[in-house]
Amino acid sequence: MAETPPPTPLDTLIDVPQQIARKTRSALRAFLVGEAAGGIVLIAAAVLAMVAANSPLAEGYFHLLHLETGPVLTDKLGPMTVHLWINDGLMAIFFLLVGLEIKREFVDGRLATWERRRLPFIAAAAGMIVPALVYLVVTGGDLSVQRGWAIPAATDIAFAIGVLALLGSRAPPALKLFLTTVAIVDDMGAVAIIAVAYTDHLNSLALAGAALVGGGLYALNRSNVRRLWPYLLGFVLLWLLVLLSGVHATIAGVVTAMLIPVTRSPGAPDSAESPLHRLEHGLHPYVAYAIVPLFGFANAGVSLKGMSLASLLEPLVLGITLGLFLGKQIGILGSIAIAERLGIATRPGGASWLQLYGVALLAGIGFTMSLFIGGLAFPGNELLVDEVKLGVLAGSILSGAAGFLVLRFAPRRKLASA
């Protein structure tokens, strides 16, 4: 095994939280604790956004989001604004963390074997397909909103785990781990949807440049380069080239994550020599407590002025609401039941059906990724984007409240350790 190089200033900055994180059993355990607290911060940020958008502060709130703060990087986006820097810049770091979590789980975690992957893949796939179908059925033949079919397909890990945290011991670790693994697989699907369904007008020259940078990162990986700064420099270059190419810039985060080396340590604490683990532990606090809440604050604010209860019955709003609330629970719980009936997989940790129903409901909290996809589906159309926000908020609140109540009053059952 290659000798671990002495830390650079950048490596040291990234590794600040590592001393605490190494005391945990794994990145996933640390993730659950941090994600729960981060989810509560996200909930607070969303509430603040709604208050700001519906108070005397509204004009200042929306003015700040649309304040021009940078050059024109692409004609498609126009001048960079605070909102664009958050959605296209900071969220690339969020997707970098998502990519690291996905790779870690496949190489050294709960998705490392096909036996463990089977149920989360089945549940996540059904939990994306059924909400999309519900959305399409509800919106009917309205071609103007069909591009939003993927909005209710996503699950927000931070928000869902934050609700579970409020339940304390009534949400055993086995349920948290199951919901997290399903949400991670869900994220994989969301990333694929963003790359394929919401990409057009490609710039082949910029795309070729991005491919060269990706090839360079791959060469670093194959050469067993363990320092993080070359990968992070490549990430910045890749972000700019992907942004210019027409593919959404956040995909650069996932691509970079897949090319960062990882040292396997099955059944043991995360390896201090693993670049992936070091970067994941280092990024997580900043993403959980700053980037995601900032995204929530910038995207959850919708003015309710001029809206009424009838607004909730608009096809786009109703399609998203029912997709998240009904589609997720039907897809996830139904697929688990079918998989167990056919002998393909078994329930996680011996959980009761009522407990799994509560978890399936919580998977209907689509906040971060749903809002993100909504912005991609209807770029520049503020009316439809506001309807997306209303639908996502309604579906997520219904799912979160129902899931909380089901798990709060479900009979306690001792679950096997995850």
Side-chain angles (χ1 to χ4, degrees):
M1 182 179 294
E3 182 179 352
T4 304
T8 64
L10 180 57
D11 290 324
T12 302
L13 175 63
I14 292 170
D15 286 343
V16 168
Q18 178 69 7
Q19 300 303 318
I20 297 174
R22 283 178 193 158
K23 296 178 182 178
T24 64
R25 179 179 180 274
S26 68
L28 183 57
R29 299 285 185 178
F31 170 84
L32 287 173
V33 175
E35 203 72 6
I40 294 172
V41 175
L42 175 58
I43 293 170
V47 172
L48 284 175
M50 288 298 294
V51 170
N54 294 278
S55 72
L57 300 173
E59 184 177 351
Y61 169 76
F62 290 112
H63 175 74
L64 174 63
L65 293 180
H66 295 96
L67 185 66
E68 293 185 11
T69 54
V72 176
L73 297 179
T74 70
D75 293 335
K76 179 181 177 181
L77 294 178
M80 294 299 288
T81 63
V82 172
H83 191 258
L84 285 175
W85 280 120
I86 293 172
N87 283 25
D88 291 66
L90 291 180
M91 285 301 284
I93 301 175
F94 165 78
F95 276 84
L96 173 60
L97 180 63
V98 168
L100 294 172
E101 290 163 357
I102 291 171
K103 181 173 180 178
R104 178 249 300 156
E105 285 302 294
F106 269 77
V107 174
D108 195 31
R110 290 177 55 81
L111 300 175
T113 65
W114 280 110
E115 183 180 353
R116 288 189 167 191
R117 294 172 191 167
R118 194 177 300 132
L119 186 61
F121 264 84
I122 292 171
M128 298 185 79
I129 293 171
V130 177
L133 291 176
V134 169
Y135 175 91
L136 290 173
V137 169
V138 172
T139 55
D142 191 344
L143 297 178
S144 66
V145 299
Q146 282 190 355
R147 275 179 60 83
W149 62 268
I151 296 171
T155 292
D156 189 292
I157 302 177
F159 230 127
I161 296 298
V163 173
L164 280 177
L166 299 176
L167 289 161
S169 61
R170 288 188 173 275
L175 289 179
K176 296 176 184 177
L177 290 170
F178 175 70
L179 178 59
T180 301
T181 51
V182 169
I184 287 172
V185 177
D186 186 291
D187 281 343
M188 292 173 55
V191 169
I193 288 171
I194 291 169
V196 175
Y198 299 111
T199 296
D200 48 23
H201 307 299
L202 294 178
N203 182 325
S204 56
L205 184 61
L207 204 58
L212 285 175
V213 173
L217 291 173
Y218 177 76
L220 289 174
N221 184 308
R222 298 298 295 174
S223 300
N224 201 30
V225 173
R226 316 293 286 179
R227 294 187 187 278
L228 285 170
W229 71 262
Y231 296 98
L232 296 179
L233 178 60
F235 166 56
V236 174
L237 292 174
L238 189 61
W239 173 82
L240 179 59
L241 288 166
V242 172
L243 178 72
L244 296 175
S245 74
V247 178
H248 200 273
T250 52
I251 298 301
V254 179
V255 172
T256 302
M258 295 299 112
L259 297 171
I260 292 177
V262 59
T263 301
R264 297 183 72 252
S265 54
D270 297 333
S271 172
E273 299 177 354
S274 173
L276 183 143
H277 287 116
R278 297 199 332 260
L279 183 58
E280 184 182 11
H281 281 300
L283 284 179
H284 187 267
Y286 303 106
V287 172
Y289 300 120
I291 292 176
V292 171
L294 189 57
F295 172 85
F297 181 74
N299 288 273
V302 54
S303 175
L304 300 179
K305 185 178 180 180
M307 291 189 180
S308 64
L309 290 177
S311 301
L312 294 173
L313 300 179
E314 290 291 331
L316 177 58
V317 178
L318 192 61
I320 295 172
T321 301
L322 296 182
L324 288 170
F325 182 64
L326 293 180
K328 278 289 183 180
Q329 59 173 288
I330 292 171
I332 291 177
L333 194 67
S335 64
I336 294 173
I338 293 172
E340 184 165 75
R341 183 67 179 268
L342 296 177
I344 298 173
T346 58
R347 282 174 281 167
S352 71
W353 284 111
L354 192 57
Q355 288 174 320
L356 282 177
Y357 177 54
V359 168
L361 282 166
L362 291 183
I365 301 175
F367 197 74
T368 304
M369 198 70 82
S370 293
L371 290 175
F372 190 81
I373 293 174
L376 298 180
F378 308 112
N381 192 325
E382 293 189 11
L383 176 61
L384 292 184
V385 169
D386 278 349
E387 289 190 1
V388 167
K389 293 178 182 180
L390 190 59
V392 170
L393 288 171
S396 297
I397 290 171
L398 276 175
S399 299
F404 178 89
L405 290 173
V406 168
L407 290 171
R408 172 65 180 81
F409 295 106
R412 294 192 183 216
R413 182 172 181 174
K414 185 180 176 77
L415 302 187
S417 177

